[in-house]
Amino acid sequence: MGQTVSPETRSTRTRAPRKPKKSQLPIALLVTVLIIGFGFFLDQAHNKMVIYLLFGISFGVILQRSRFCFTASLRDPCITGSTSVTRAVLIAFSLATIGFTAIKYPAFLEGKPIPGMDNVGQISLALIIGAVLFGIGMVIAGGCASGTLMRVGEGFTMQMLSLVFFVIGSLWGSHDMGWWRANVIKDAPTVFLPDVFGWLGALVVQFLIILLLYIAAVKWQEKKMGSAD
């Protein structure tokens, strides 16, 4: 009688051995030397450029090590049930709220123009359409702007292609933005929370919303992970 072989054993026998990974240390050393040399070059042109370079490298390292991505924060809870990136994004929102308030509030007290008010977007049909299209695009591409840049640095060819069309789409959007402003956005309301609730009230409302979302994210992961077990 022939011996019965389980599918697991058969797949183990036919699976080709994995090739050992090549050491990336020489590449890392070469990139480090090039960055240092580029830093000296920038220092000759403008000393602040070195600070910008260091900030950019640090930001990229943090993105890569943390796997920080807005796409993952919205996609993972639906697909895997994990909300770790979602909670990281909410914490980032909290820190950004503190930072922006520290920048804007002193200008408000001194009666000066509040920085960044031109970036307070109007709530309109264009915002809804843009949000939906961008959401669909970033899920198909597998990453938002930060996630795409991070994966381009890691050598993912799909994200390299996504970055090309990201640039094309941004240029196209900038070209058509005047039409949207003139025909769709011009009469749309602009909501700046300190104008509605006051500065302290705006902080309370913002942090309360973030806290409730954080609690909901924790409960969602507990429910999904618990049901998976």
Side-chain angles (χ1 to χ4, degrees), residues 109-143:
L109 289 178
E110 296 174 4
K112 298 179 180 179
I114 300 175
M117 291 304 295
D118 292 339
N119 296 320
V120 179
Q122 295 169 276
I123 300 177
S124 65
L125 177 63
L127 178 65
I128 297 173
I129 294 175
V132 172
L133 291 177
F134 187 81
I136 294 173
M138 71 179 186
V139 170
I140 294 175

Side-chain angles (χ1 to χ4, degrees), residues 135-155:
I136 294 173
M138 71 179 186
V139 170
I140 294 175
C144 57
S146 57
T148 298
L149 291 174
M150 173 191 68
R151 290 178 176 86
V152 166
E154 292 180 332

